Amino acid sequence: MTTLRTTRNISITSALEDARARYVEWNPKSHILHKSATDVMPGGNTRSVLFHAPFPLTIRRGQGCRIEDVDGHDYINFLG
């Protein structure tokens, strides 16, 4: 189980910077795969219109409403 660390931010900008740093730290495999995908696809993905920085998650598998990314995190897919 991942322990969430919390910090007190004094601005929205610092809160967003903290969130972005945690996202990058928790998703290293997705980050590496996105970097290699940018060599062969514009923006590194097929949904560039929906892309949000710093990089999209790479989904490994799905079953029913559950999906798992390459970094081992499980999610419930409320969109598909």
Side-chain angles (χ1 to χ4, degrees):
M1 179 182 199
T2 302
T3 302
L4 296 176
R5 69 174 190 265
T6 58
T7 58
R8 185 173 299 268
N9 293 291
I10 56 174
S11 72
I12 290 175
T13 301
S14 64
L16 288 172
E17 289 170 0
D18 288 348
R20 182 171 286 191
R22 282 193 309 271
Y23 180 86
V24 171
E25 177 184 338
W26 291 344
N27 299 291
K29 292 178 183 176
S30 287
H31 193 197
I32 291 167
L33 289 170
H34 176 68
K35 283 182 182 179
S36 66
T38 59
D39 293 338
V40 294
M41 291 186 287
N45 66 74
T46 60
R47 304 287 302 263
S48 295
V49 158
L50 301 175
F51 175 80
H52 291 281
F55 55 88
L57 295 174
T58 301
I59 303 304
R60 177 189 330 212
R61 66 183 189 91
Q63 183 173 3
C65 67
R66 298 198 178 272
I67 57 176
E68 179 185 333
D69 68 18
V70 294
D71 295 290
H73 306 117
D74 295 310
Y75 302 91
I76 296 177
N77 180 2
F78 290 102
L79 299 175

